[in-house]
């Protein structure tokens, strides 16, 4: 069997959502894939700084992160592209003008910036470790870089969101928490294609594993697509194969079934 290029989502695919830890049989499968000579990488929407701890603790060397816009090869961050600044600024000002609080991530860290406490007043604290930089004179234009934004608009339909904030349309957006909207890159396929350019590989040799709708972008026709049995029905519908649930040894069992350990 020729060399494959495996890309794994983290949450709900490699990890048990209840514990946040990698499923032991998944860790064993990753090691067997490496020993068989395959390329093994994470593909996550998480920012680089946020994914790095999991990356290091679980022996990875390669990763696509920041929603497809950051590339780590041999443990080195080689690229990390922000949102298109014109689109991000348009949404930032539209949200403020319409009364919503906005937190801006303008560096690869847990620090977020805002001009006031409106986000906190409307949505509460950001539900992950955060350092807040509140400055009434803050202008993201002065930095010229936006990696992610958090807007204090609660979960609703796509149609309702775009009626309220039409500037969100060209930007990746999702409610990981119902209290606020996350604006981030949605280009996991782009990250895979860029990785293949840098390390040398062909799309037809790519295998992707995911579990939720934010993995839809990498469930592309060029790749062999595996949805976890615990995954979202919409993702399963476009998968080439549905594995057993991840906590029922799904990754290990499907890799063994396909002969990828040999």
């Amino acid at each position: 069997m020729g060399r494959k290029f495996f890309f794994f989502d983290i949450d709900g695919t490699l990890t048990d959502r209840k514990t946040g830890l990698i499923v032991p049989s998944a860790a064993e499968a990753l090691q067997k894939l490496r020993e068989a000579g395959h390329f093994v990488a994470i593909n996550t929407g998480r920012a680089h700084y946020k994914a790095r701890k999991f990356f290091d603790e679980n022996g990875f060397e390669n990763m696509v992160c920041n929603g497809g816009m950051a590339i780590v090869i041999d443990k080195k961050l080689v690229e990390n592209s922000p949102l298109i600044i014109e689109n991000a600024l348009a949404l930032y000002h539209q949200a403020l003008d319409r009364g919503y609080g906005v937190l801006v991530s303008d560096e690869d860290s847990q620090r977020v910036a805002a001009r006031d406490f409106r986000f906190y007043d409307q949505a509460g604290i950001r539900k992950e470790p955060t350092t807040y930089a509140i400055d009434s004179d803050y202008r993201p234009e002065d930095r010229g870089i936006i990696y992610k934004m958090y807007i204090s608009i609660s979960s609703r339909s796509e149609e309702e969101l775009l009626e309220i904030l039409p500037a969100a349309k060209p930007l990746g957006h999702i409610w990981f928490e119902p209290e606020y909207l996350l604006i981030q890159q949605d280009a996991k396929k782009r990250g895979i294609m860029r990785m293949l350019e840098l390390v040398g590989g062909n799309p037809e040799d790519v295998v992707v594993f995911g579990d939720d709708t934010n993995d839809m972008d990498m469930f592309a026709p060029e790749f062999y697509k595996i949805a976890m049995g615990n995954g979202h029905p919409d993702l399963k519908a476009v998968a080439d194969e549905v594995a057993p649930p991840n906590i029922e040894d799904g990754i290990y069992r499907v890799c063994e079934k396909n002969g990828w350990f040999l």
Side-chain angles (χ1 to χ4, degrees), residues 83 91-92 94-95 100-105 112 119 122-128 148-158 160-184:
L83 296 167
L91 178 57
Y92 172 81
Q94 186 174 85
Y100 296 100
V102 185
L103 303 177
V104 177
S105 172
V112 293
F119 181 95
Q122 295 174 344
I125 63 171
R126 182 171 165 240
K127 295 183 179 179
E128 53 191 280
K148 299 191 180 194
M149 292 190 293
Y150 305 83
I151 303 175
S152 58
I153 182 170
S154 59
S155 180
R156 59 201 65 207
S157 72
E158 181 75 2
E160 290 173 316
L161 170 65
L162 295 181
E163 284 182 9
I164 299 168
L165 295 175
K169 186 173 183 178
L171 294 161
H173 52 272
I174 190 169
W175 276 278
F176 278 125
E177 305 292 345
E179 295 85 0
Y180 54 86
L181 180 68
L182 169 61
I183 306 299
Q184 68 171 24

Side-chain angles (χ1 to χ4, degrees), residues 183-218:
I183 306 299
Q184 68 171 24
Q185 307 282 4
D186 185 22
K188 285 188 169 185
K189 177 185 174 182
R190 178 266 178 202
I192 291 173
M193 299 301 285
R194 180 62 179 144
M195 181 71 85
L196 294 177
E197 288 180 21
L198 293 172
V199 303
N202 298 311
E204 60 266 27
D205 296 322
V206 169
V207 180
V208 297
F209 284 77
D211 74 297
D212 212 340
T213 53
N214 64 319
D215 297 314
M216 194 72 76
D217 185 73
M218 70 173 177

Side-chain angles (χ1 to χ4, degrees), residues 7-19:
F7 293 86
F8 296 88
D9 173 57
I10 297 177
D11 301 303
T13 300
L14 288 172
T15 66
D16 182 342
R17 286 190 181 273
K18 290 183 179 179
T19 66

